[in-house]
Amino acid sequence: MIDRRSLLAATAAGAALAAGGRAFAAPQDASTSDPAVAAELNTWMDRTFERTLDASPEAVTGFGLDKGARAAAKSRMTIPTLAEEEASRQLTRDFRTELGRIDRSKLHGVDAIRHDTLTTYYDSVIATYDVPYGQGGWPSIYRVSQQSGTYQSAPDFLDNQHTIETAADADAYVARIAQLGDVLTAETERMQEDFARGVIPPDFILAKTIGQQEGMARIAPGQSPMTNSVVRRTAERGLTGDWGAQVERLLTERVYPALAAQTAALKAFQPRAGHDPAVSRLPQGEQFYANALRLMTTTDMTADQIHDVGLAQVAELTARADQVLRGQGMTQGTVAERITAIGEDPAQVYPDTDAAKLELIEHLNGQMAAMARKLPNAFGRLPRATVEIKRVPPEIQDGAALGYYNSPSLDGSRPGIYWINLKDTGNWPKWSLPTLTYHEASPGHHLQIALQQESPSAPMLMNTIFFSAHGEGWGLYAEQLADELGAYEGDPLGQVGYLQSLMFRAVRLVVDTGLHARGWSRERAIQYMVDTCGRAGDAATSEIDRYCGWPGQATSYKVGHNEWVRLRENARQTLGARFDIKGFHDTTLAAGGVPLSVLGRLVDDWVASQRG
C-alpha cells in the first residue's frame, strides 16, 4: 500500500531529477503534436505544479523542496477549515477548466497521454465533491478514524518528512508543533459538521479511534514521539538548543488539550453510533461508493461486476494453492485451514519481542538485497533512490495498515520507507514476508515510484501523480514478477505466501463490495476473509475495518493487477519472439502514474513500435 500521507499534494507535485542510464519516454504515435499547443501544455503543467506547492506546505516538505525560495513552507501547517477546503476544491476545478482550454485535438503521443491522464484524474476527483462529506480525491468517509486524522498523520509526518539538519530546521519543527492545536481544533469542527449530517462512524471505528487517542494522551508530553523526535535528531546533528523543552511546553499547553477536545467530541457521539459499516447507510452513500470505485479503479466497473470477478478469482487461486499444499503432503482441511496451520507453526513465527522484531527487519533487508540482484533481468533502468525498512510506530499501529510505503524526497536527501506493522508478529509468519517486501519495496512500490520521480524528461506535475489502480496494481504485479524471477525456487511455503497474497486481494473485491453494496455485516466480512485465505482473526479485523472507512480503495489492487497482466500477455502474444520484458517495463513505468485506460494505449503504442 502506498501511504496517501506521502502524496499530500494529491494531484501531483515533483521535480525532474537527472536519472542515471538512458532515458525512456512514452512511445509516440505516427502523428506529432502542434508545437505551440504542446508548449502551452508544458507551460501549464509547470505553473500548476507551482500553484499546487503554494497551496500545501506539507507537500513542499513531503517532496523535499522546503529550502531556498520555499524555505518558509517548512514552518507552516495547513489549517483544515471549511474555507481552506473550499479554496482547495476550487483550485482543482480551476486546473480542470484551464486544462480544458488546451486544444486536445492538436496533441499526440506523449503529450496526448499527459493531457488525458490529467483530465481523467481531475474529472474523477471533482465528481467526489458532489457528496458534502469525505475527503475529495481519496475515498475516506470520516475525517477522524482509526486510520485517518491529524493525531495519526502529524507525528509520522514530522518525524519522517520534516528533515532536521540545522537549527533553523529545528525552529521550523517547533513552529509546526505550535500550529498543531489549531489544526486539531479545525479538524474537530469539520468532524462535528459531518456528525450533524449523520455521517457518524460505526461503533467499532469510534471505539478504536478513541482508544488510540487516549493511549497517545497517556504518554507524558516530555516522552511524546514528537518531543523525542526533535531531541534525538538535533543531538545526532550536534545541535544545541532547548527545542525539546519548547515542544514539551507546546504539547502540554496547546496540542494535548486540542486532542482531548477531539476525543471528547468523538465520545459524545458514541451513543448515536450504530454498528452498520456500509457507506450506503449515509446520505448520498450510494453515490459516494460509485464515485469511490471510479476514482480508485479508473474504470466504469460496477460493484456487482467487481464482486463477481472477485468470486471467480478466489476460486481460481484457491485451486492453485491447493495444488502447492498437496505437493507438500498437506491434504486435510480447507485451503484456509491448511494455510492457518502453517502460520501457527512456531518455527514459522518470530517471537513477539522487540529483539525478534529487529531480527525480522534484518531478514527483510536480506530479502531486498537478494531481489536487487535479480532486477536487471527484468528492467533496463533502476532507481537511484534507496529504501529503508521501518516498524510502524507502536502508538499508531492499532489503526495502521499492515504494510505501506512512503516515497523518497525528490532531492535525494531522504530514502523511500517501507513500513511494516509489527503489533503482532503472528500476523507475519516467515513464509509470508517475502511477498510483502516485493510489493512495498522492489520490484513493487519503491521501484515504480522512485523511477517515476527520477524521470529526466517528464514535466514536474507528472513526476508524482498517482492512480491507485495503476500503482497498487503494479505492487501486486510485482509480487507475481518476483515469482517469475525465481524468488520462490526451492521455497514452496514462500509460494504459498505469494498465492495467499493474491487470494487476499481477490477477497478484497468480494468483501469491499459486500460491505458497501450488498449489505454484508462487518462480522460476515471478517469471517469470509478468515475462511477463504487463512488470514489471522486480528489481521482480518484490522483489514475489514480499513475498508469500512475507505470504501473502494481495496478494490484497486486486484483490478489494477488484472489489467497489468492482461496487457502484458496480449503484448507477448502479439509480438512473439520480439517481446522484450525489459522494454515492456521500462516503457510503461516511464510514463508515470496513468489511469488504466491510458496504460492500455501506452502498451498498444509500444507494441506497434516493436512490430515496425
Side-chain angles (χ1 to χ4, degrees):
M1 172 185 174
I2 299 175
D3 182 14
R4 181 177 178 266
R5 289 172 296 184
S6 68
L7 298 164
L8 288 167
T11 57
L17 299 178
R22 59 195 179 99
F24 294 90
Q28 297 277 347
D29 60 21
S31 304
T32 56
S33 299
D34 180 303
V37 179
E40 181 185 6
L41 176 64
N42 286 330
T43 299
W44 177 83
M45 286 190 288
D46 288 344
R47 185 173 65 249
T48 298
F49 162 75
E50 295 296 336
R51 291 165 68 191
T52 299
L53 293 181
D54 290 343
S56 175
E58 294 88 354
V60 177
T61 291
F63 296 127
L65 302 176
D66 52 2
K67 49 184 70 71
R70 291 196 177 275
K74 199 163 189 173
S75 298
R76 295 191 289 114
M77 297 287 281
T78 299
I79 311 300
T81 62
L82 176 60
E84 186 278 330
E85 181 173 300
E86 289 177 341
S88 176
R89 293 186 174 198
Q90 186 57 50
L91 184 63
T92 301
R93 293 187 181 99
D94 291 345
F95 289 161
R96 177 63 181 92
T97 300
E98 294 164 9
L99 179 62
R101 297 191 185 117
I102 298 172
D103 191 345
R104 169 64 178 80
S105 68
K106 295 182 179 180
L107 298 174
H108 301 278
V110 70
D111 299 314
I113 290 292
R114 290 169 179 165
H115 191 287
D116 293 350
T117 293
L118 292 166
T119 297
T120 298
Y121 176 78
Y122 291 130
D123 284 348
S124 60
V125 170
I126 290 169
T128 68
Y129 297 165
D130 292 339
V131 179
Y133 57 86
Q135 331 241 328
W138 186 255
S140 179
I141 311 174
Y142 313 112
R143 296 181 188 278
V144 181
S145 71
Q146 86 284 9
Q147 61 196 3
S148 59
T150 299
Y151 85 100
Q152 274 263 346
S153 62
D156 182 9
F157 171 75
L158 289 168
D159 190 41
N160 293 293
Q161 308 291 320
H162 183 113
T163 56
I164 296 180
E165 303 289 338
T166 67
D169 294 337
D171 289 339
Y173 182 100
V174 173
R176 278 180 155 162
I177 293 288
Q179 296 166 67
L180 275 186
D182 291 338
V183 173
L184 283 161
T185 297
E187 183 180 68
T188 300
E189 292 172 353
R190 303 305 315 285
M191 179 185 79
Q192 290 173 316
E193 292 170 12
D194 288 342
F195 287 174
R197 295 186 179 100
V199 183
I200 302 171
D203 52 9
F204 54 90
I205 285 182
L206 274 179
K208 187 175 287 187
T209 306
I210 291 168
Q212 290 184 167
Q213 291 195 349
E214 289 181 334
M216 295 180 73
R218 284 194 292 270
I219 302 172
Q223 299 301 314
S224 164
M226 289 181 280
T227 304
N228 290 339
S229 177
V230 72
V231 170
R232 182 189 75 252
R233 292 191 289 152
T234 53
E236 289 171 351
R237 292 296 175 184
L239 303 174
T240 56
D242 66 343
W243 299 290
Q246 292 182 59
V247 169
E248 181 179 358
R249 177 178 57 80
L250 289 167
L251 292 178
T252 301
E253 297 176 357
R254 301 186 188 183
V255 179
Y256 274 39
L259 178 63
Q262 186 170 98
T263 305
L266 290 166
K267 286 182 174 181
F269 277 84
Q270 274 188 297
R272 293 177 54 183
H275 194 66
D276 184 352
V279 68
S280 59
R281 81 184 195 282
L282 302 175
Q284 296 178 257
E286 291 183 0
Q287 182 183 356
F288 187 106
Y289 193 48
N291 290 343
L293 290 178
R294 178 187 176 198
L295 181 71
M296 289 293 100
T297 69
T298 63
T299 73
D300 294 324
M301 293 180 71
T302 66
D304 284 343
Q305 290 171 327
I306 291 171
H307 192 87
D308 290 343
V309 168
L311 290 173
Q313 295 201 327
V314 165
E316 174 196 348
L317 291 163
T318 299
R320 288 175 59 187
D322 180 54
Q323 288 184 337
V324 177
L325 291 166
R326 287 181 179 276
Q328 297 304 299
M330 301 185 68
T331 61
Q332 300 301 308
T334 67
V335 166
E337 287 169 346
R338 282 175 276 168
I339 290 176
T340 300
I342 300 172
E344 292 175 348
D345 180 352
Q348 289 292 330
V349 180
Y350 286 92
D352 202 23
T353 65
D354 287 339
K357 290 171 183 178
L358 289 174
E359 181 186 350
L360 184 154
I361 290 175
E362 284 304 308
H363 188 197
L364 297 184
N365 279 305
Q367 291 168 356
M368 284 204 303
M371 176 51 64
R373 295 189 287 270
K374 298 178 182 293
L375 294 178
N377 294 324
F379 300 90
R381 179 169 170 248
L382 296 170
R384 292 182 296 117
T386 59
V387 60
E388 293 182 357
I389 305 173
K390 291 188 176 183
R391 175 184 176 183
V392 172
E395 60 270 13
I396 66 169
Q397 64 189 8
D398 285 354
L402 293 176
Y404 56 91
Y405 171 74
N406 290 155
S407 60
S409 63
L410 296 173
D411 63 358
S413 63
R414 189 183 65 247
I417 304 174
Y418 150 30
W419 296 93
I420 182 168
N421 191 330
L422 297 179
K423 175 186 176 182
D424 180 0
T425 54
N427 290 333
W428 294 118
K430 296 176 182 178
W431 47 268
S432 70
L433 287 167
T435 297
L436 177 70
T437 300
Y438 305 143
H439 183 107
E440 302 295 346
S442 292
H445 289 324
H446 176 68
L447 182 145
Q448 179 193 34
I449 298 300
L451 280 178
Q452 181 180 346
Q453 292 185 178
E454 293 172 5
S455 171
S457 57
M460 291 180 282
L461 187 64
M462 301 303 299
N463 268 352
T464 55
I465 196 165
F466 175 72
F467 291 87
S468 191
H470 179 272
E472 299 296 359
W474 172 268
L476 199 50
Y477 169 79
E479 298 179 24
Q480 176 177 330
L481 182 62
D483 180 45
E484 295 166 348
L485 289 172
Y488 301 114
E489 288 180 3
D491 182 16
L493 292 185
Q495 182 80 15
V496 171
Y498 156 61
L499 291 172
Q500 185 200 38
S501 178
L502 291 180
M503 291 165 60
F504 171 45
R505 274 35 175 261
V507 164
R508 282 177 166 176
L509 301 182
V510 178
V511 297
D512 194 286
T513 53
L515 286 163
H516 296 294
R518 295 200 171 196
W520 283 30
S521 68
R522 176 199 189 213
E523 288 70 28
R524 179 179 176 183
I526 292 169
Q527 196 60 51
Y528 179 83
M529 180 171 283
V530 171
D531 291 345
T532 304
C533 60
R535 203 76 176 178
D538 286 349
T541 298
S542 177
E543 284 293 320
I544 296 303
D545 289 354
R546 168 183 158 188
Y547 314 153
C548 293
W550 289 352
Q553 191 271 342
T555 68
S556 63
Y557 295 71
K558 201 66 178 67
V559 170
H561 171 245
N562 291 345
E563 187 65 0
W564 272 104
V565 173
R566 186 188 72 82
L567 292 171
R568 187 189 72 174
E569 294 314 302
N570 284 352
R572 190 191 302 275
Q573 291 178 14
T574 301
L575 292 175
R578 293 187 180 183
F579 179 80
D580 173 31
I581 192 67
K582 293 182 182 180
F584 174 81
H585 290 151
D586 292 340
T587 299
T588 52
L589 292 179
V594 295
L596 296 182
S597 57
V598 173
L599 179 63
R601 284 170 44 203
L602 279 169
V603 175
D604 289 345
D605 289 349
W606 177 72
V607 169
S609 72
Q610 299 305 296
R611 297 177 73 179

